Amino acid sequence: MAGMNHLRENGIVHRDIKPGNIMRLVGEEGQSIYKLSDFGAARELDDDEKFVSVYGTEEYLHPDMYERAVLRKPQQKAFGVTVDLWSIGVTLYHAATGSLPFIPFGGPRRNKEIMYRITTEKPAGAISGTQKQENGPLEWSYSLPITCRLSMGLQNQLVPILANILEVEQDKCWGFDQFFAETSDILQRTVIHVFSLPQAVLHHVYIHAHNTIAIFLEAVYEQTNVTPKHQEYLFEGHPCVLEPSLSAQHIAHTAASSPLTLFSMSSDTPKGLAFRDPALDVPKFVPKVDLQADYSTAKGVLGAGYQALWLARVLLDGQALMLRGLHWVLEVLQDTCQQTLEVTRTALLYLSSSLGTERLSSGAEMPDVQELKEATELRSRLQTLSEVLSKCSHNVTETQRSLSCLGEELLKNRNQSHEDNRSAQKIQCCLDKMHFIYKQFKKSRMRPGLSYNEEQIHKLDKVNFSHLAKRLLQVFQEECVQTYQVSLVTHGKRMRQVQRAQNHLHLIAHSVATCNSEARGAQESLNKIFDQLLLDRASKQGAEVSPQPMAPHPGPDPKDLVFHMQELCNDMKLLAFDLQDNNRLIERLHRVPSAPDV
Amino acid sequence: MAGMNHLRENGIVHRDIKPGNIMRLVGEEGQSIYKLSDFGAARELDDDEKFVSVYGTEEYLHPDMYERAVLRKPQQKAFGVTVDLWSIGVTLYHAATGSLPFIPFGGPRRNKEIMYRITTEKPAGAISGTQKQENGPLEWSYSLPITCRLSMGLQNQLVPILANILEVEQDKCWGFDQFFAETSDILQRTVIHVFSLPQAVLHHVYIHAHNTIAIFLEAVYEQTNVTPKHQEYLFEGHPCVLEPSLSAQHIAHTAASSPLTLFSMSSDTPKGLAFRDPALDVPKFVPKVDLQADYSTAKGVLGAGYQALWLARVLLDGQALMLRGLHWVLEVLQDTCQQTLEVTRTALLYLSSSLGTERLSSGAEMPDVQELKEATELRSRLQTLSEVLSKCSHNVTETQRSLSCLGEELLKNRNQSHEDNRSAQKIQCCLDKMHFIYKQFKKSRMRPGLSYNEEQIHKLDKVNFSHLAKRLLQVFQEECVQTYQVSLVTHGKRMRQVQRAQNHLHLIAHSVATCNSEARGAQESLNKIFDQLLLDRASKQGAEVSPQPMAPHPGPDPKDLVFHMQELCNDMKLLAFDLQDNNRLIERLHRVPSAPDV
């Protein structure tokens, strides 16, 4: 973009922008520096001047130039600087996906009329068009394909740009200034890695450092569908409170291996990573020895192999993030348990000292004294509250225990997952050997022919190469993909278990708080009676006076208890939902008994 | 070892064990498989048979064989299988440190008499001997040098083995069986990575999986000097309680990048990583063009460069571990703060309801009643306790604030440290370019001479190579080492701050606990007085008039509600059991169709 801007500032149209004309230089710090090169087709022009000669590489040509240069149709259209924009659009698409955006059946060079139709008839907003069958219909796509390795976050930024520069109508097409502004805007953004634990998906969120956190939360919502107020974050094992009004610079530096972990109560089933099986993109060798064809096939197979390796690593990383994220959530819940327990214990300690002693609580032959009655009632109320608290504390302990069990299961799983890393190593190993054969093929194809012995070796290499490719795909499918899918299902189950525990703990904490404030009320009433008794005793001692009427104490409020019951009911409803979820799952599993690649 | 054992079982002495005779094979999963090769010097012998012919590569020769083969002295010693042990000892030392253990001044091949003296005069327990000056004294070492890349944990295991096989006296030297047992023992151990936060040192602890955790703690003590009972661990951000009686298998799987973090109250200043400045090992080019010498020099410089890169990465990782470890400790302390605060708040809530109302606490003209006096005294005691608790809560809040400040400082530092990673990239970049020149030198040295032009290029390459080496060492020294040292000092300061905060929190928690139990005592005494007053009142009232019975309480009896709640709880438990049943069902269903190898 910077190179194009420089040309533009100097009034030059490049006219042959394509991947092959972009050179990569390795900088002082190992970073890639890309340079625009090959100005053989470039032309100076005054800002509004149009040029009429045409040049360029046909796949990347603007349709108007294509019409004239490739189809050799006479037309008098004048080409402005926007022809470079079209070419950079095709280049970006190619670099991002590994394939061209506009492909007639048989390829762009075979069917040039269709190629022209695709580029000119493309509806607004579409960024690619293909013809899948001879003389078949044109199919449009408005998003990047599943094989595109760019994150969704970046795709969301890039697609509108592509749609607006791959636009044949001059008045709809962006001008260079807008293009430059929009691309620069992307480059200035920072990436925040967010792993959505319920969905088991890693998101890349592109925001500006000067944005507020509110904007970040909104961007997360767009990708995860979790509303900002339901987004809870963990970072490196601990809750991470994001204040919406602060600047996004307050968010810690994340990495794909150390993302913010989004935890929400949404009961999504984890969908994990969507990907295309690389086995579908493995070409087959022709039976006879054909050095050029064998080389191309080997290259294609190797490409699919590297894609499988990349996927294997992404899947393994995804599993690690699931396990670690759950481990963290468990630890946080254990902290909550501990805290609730401590509070409950303190409350029980204080309550125990306010309860009546035995000789009063027995109440066998209680005389009919108002204070005594009231006090006894209040105390029995405190007794009840203390029992509820004990019950709460017991429930917390039970939750702790079940969380611990889950924790141990996780630990075992995590130790296991270190074994799983070996599958990526196996794939790597196959690739290394395949790469060695591929290099031989690359050398051979330049030669006029092979000697008998060399040909035998070549044949053997082809067999070996195919065996290695088969083994690679087998390891990928049977070790990586299947393990991943099993772990997704297990993760979903565990997430529901953890969410239930969290709900449960919320309710318990609420109950404890309510008990505490009720107990406080009762204790205060008791205290007033006590005060009165003390005062009476004091005044009696001075001069015998009748006791003052007590202020009516607030009395036990059954409404609170009713509230508790309603909460419990809600809890039950949640459980019932879970059950329904499960039932649906069972049904589905039952219906699709043997679909390995859901 | 396995190869040697195989030879031994077949009654064969290898007699030429050295690094050059050990071949590396890459296995199916990319792992290294080492194979013993070159049996040109091997000889069959019956178990007790000695052989008298000698062979081998002199640096790795047993002194007795050396005497006869290299020094050509006539002697009638018979050589047993232990000569292989000596050679494997020298080989292990060489592989572990990159240099030979026994080096006379000028090198082993220049001064053969001294070489013989070093190997035969070596005191028991020493594993290396060098002569630093011409005709100078021999210097012995009983440990591996600082340049050895093996962890201290592994060195501790290896050194006794080396000392016992690099032993010229037959009766002191280990037999093969003991050697094999001891080396097998190491291989069967697992490594647990422990990062000592106060010392800022990463330790590798070698234990057997069947060992108890107590043995692990003892092994940590040996390396860190922190006694088992003072060892506190964090793993992935959370406290990790290690029960000494359990098996070490309960310890989570660690890695150098994800170690157990040891946190102790020891006030060591962090010593960090001890290393030798690679600049000291950089040879200088001779001024004239000497293809062989230039190649050797380039090789030496490149070696030092790779060592610098390795060190740079270790130093950067060390910094990351310090920052992350501190971050975790802070989070754990923040949790403690929160917990203490909650407990204190609950306690204050209960206390507030037990304090006297104003008309009594004013006590302006308190009549001389004993109960009143006692009650007032107890209440003023509770008042004091409540003030102490408020004070505690205030202190905790202050600690929280200062921890938060430190946390923000850490966050900034961590974001900064991602910038620091660029220095390793810079070094890597220099090395890539140097490696390219080195490969040229490697090719050139085989040629008889260079043309004028080639020689000019060679000269230029030498200059470039030196420049790159200088820049590399400068980046290492000025960016890596200095940053590391600054961060060590900062880390030490922060550790002390955190340890102070932790101490402070301990004291506060203790105060809170004491207050609570005192308050309980006071409340109980108050309660007794209350009971007495109530009883008094009752007995008095009973004798006099009975007041009206209390109006029945309106609304539902709270006890009933509690009962209902308990019922609901039970219902929920039943539902939860159902869910678990379902989950099990799903698991089974899932396992049957698509996971044959789970």
Side-chain angles (χ1 to χ4, degrees), chain A residues 236-247:
Chain A
E236 294 202 330
H238 291 273
C240 171
V241 180
L242 297 178
E243 185 52 56
S245 61
L246 286 181
S247 132

Side-chain angles (χ1 to χ4, degrees), chain A residues 2-256:
Chain A
M4 284 179 73
N5 194 39
H6 183 76
L7 291 183
R8 161 86 173 154
E9 280 172 356
N10 288 278
I12 292 168
V13 192
H14 186 285
R15 300 203 289 170
D16 196 15
I17 288 176
K18 57 178 177 177
N21 281 342
I22 297 171
M23 303 288 153
R24 180 167 162 263
L25 184 79
V26 177
E28 286 271 288
E29 294 168 14
Q31 77 278 34
S32 292
I33 301 168
Y34 295 95
K35 300 208 169 189
L36 197 54
S37 73
D38 191 354
F39 296 88
R43 235 201 84 138
E44 265 183 74
L45 83 166
D46 290 332
D47 213 7
D48 274 342
E49 191 190 342
K50 309 280 174 174
F51 63 88
V52 285
S53 65
V54 293
Y55 208 92
T57 307
E58 62 184 81
E59 282 87 350
Y60 301 88
L61 271 193
H62 188 278
D64 291 346
M65 289 177 76
Y66 189 91
E67 188 183 14
R68 177 150 164 188
V70 181
L71 303 182
R72 308 240 171 238
K73 290 200 180 148
Q75 36 103 292
Q76 292 309 318
K77 281 181 193 157
F79 312 131
V81 286
T82 50
V83 299
D84 275 356
L85 283 185
W86 180 280
S87 301
I88 196 72
V90 179
T91 303
L92 283 174
Y93 189 98
H94 198 172
T97 66
S99 54
L100 287 164
F102 309 117
I103 310 179
F105 182 77
R109 301 241 170 173
R110 289 239 187 114
N111 204 334
K112 303 192 185 214
E113 286 290 340
I114 295 289
M115 180 70 181
Y116 182 68
R117 265 189 57 205
I118 293 179
T119 53
T120 49
E121 291 175 11
K122 184 183 77 67
I127 57 168
S128 80
T130 45
Q131 185 190 36
K132 298 242 170 79
Q133 292 168 330
E134 185 121 41
N135 301 320
L138 304 183
E139 288 172 29
W140 310 110
S141 172
Y142 297 79
S143 58
L144 291 162
I146 194 173
T147 46
C148 175
R149 279 200 195 169
L150 301 184
S151 68
M152 263 307 151
L154 186 51
Q155 289 189 27
N156 292 345
Q157 306 282 328
L158 185 62
V159 166
I161 295 181
L162 289 180
N164 282 296
I165 58 173
L166 292 174
E167 177 53 66
V168 74
E169 287 184 41
Q170 292 271 355
D171 47 335
K172 281 193 201 158
C173 183
W174 276 359
F176 183 81
D177 290 337
Q178 187 168 5
F179 169 73
F180 189 69
E182 298 280 342
T183 48
S184 302
D185 181 80
I186 298 182
L187 292 171
Q188 279 157 16
R189 287 170 187 254
T190 48
V191 187
I192 295 173
H193 304 80
V194 175
F195 183 70
S196 162
L197 199 56
Q199 299 163 334
V201 177
L202 181 66
H203 300 279
H204 295 65
V205 181
Y206 281 74
I207 53 160
H208 289 289
H210 58 75
N211 284 157
T212 59
I213 285 178
I215 289 177
F216 165 74
L217 300 178
E218 200 55 45
V220 171
Y221 166 64
E222 273 170 32
Q223 290 196 48
T224 60
N225 234 2
V226 177
T227 52
K229 68 171 183 169
H230 289 111
Q231 295 172 17
E232 284 177 59
Y233 291 96
L234 293 171
F235 184 62
E236 294 202 330
H238 291 273
C240 171
V241 180
L242 297 178
E243 185 52 56
S245 61
L246 286 181
S247 132
Q249 281 162 319
H250 283 83
I251 301 174
H253 181 100
T254 60

Side-chain angles (χ1 to χ4, degrees), chain B residues 132-150:
Chain B
K132 298 243 171 79
Q133 292 168 330
E134 184 119 42
N135 301 320
L138 304 182
E139 290 171 28
W140 310 110
S141 172
Y142 297 80
S143 58
L144 291 162
I146 193 172
T147 44
C148 175
R149 279 201 195 167
L150 301 183

Side-chain angles (χ1 to χ4, degrees), chain A residues 29 236-238 253 335 350 353 355 357 368 371 379 414-415 493 516 523 527 531 536-537 582 593, chain B residues 236-238 253 335 350 353 355 357 371 379 414-415 422 516 523 527 531 536-537 547 583 587 593:
Chain A
E29 294 168 14
E236 294 202 330
H238 291 273
H253 181 100
D335 280 352
Y350 276 93
S353 61
L355 296 177
T357 47
D368 211 6
E371 284 92 344
R379 278 175 165 171
R414 297 187 76 184
N415 290 348
K493 246 185 315 185
N516 282 346
Q523 277 203 332
N527 217 30
D531 277 4
D536 287 0
R537 166 65 60 103
N582 264 357
Chain B
E236 295 202 330
H238 292 272
H253 181 98
D335 280 353
Y350 277 92
S353 60
L355 295 177
T357 46
E371 284 94 342
R379 278 174 166 173
R414 298 187 75 183
N415 289 349
R422 294 209 313 229
N516 282 346
Q523 277 203 331
N527 219 31
D531 278 3
D536 287 0
R537 165 66 59 104
N583 284 344
E587 233 179 298

Side-chain angles (χ1 to χ4, degrees), chain A residues 386-401:
Chain A
S386 140
E387 277 158 19
V388 173
L389 280 174
S390 293
K391 182 98 192 153
C392 283
S393 147
H394 180 72
N395 279 345
V396 172
T397 319
E398 257 178 22
T399 310
Q400 268 185 324
R401 227 192 325 267

Side-chain angles (χ1 to χ4, degrees), chain A residues 7 204 206 290 296 345 499 595:
Chain A
L7 291 183
H204 295 65
Y206 281 74
D290 175 340
S296 301
R345 272 181 204 142
Q499 285 171 336

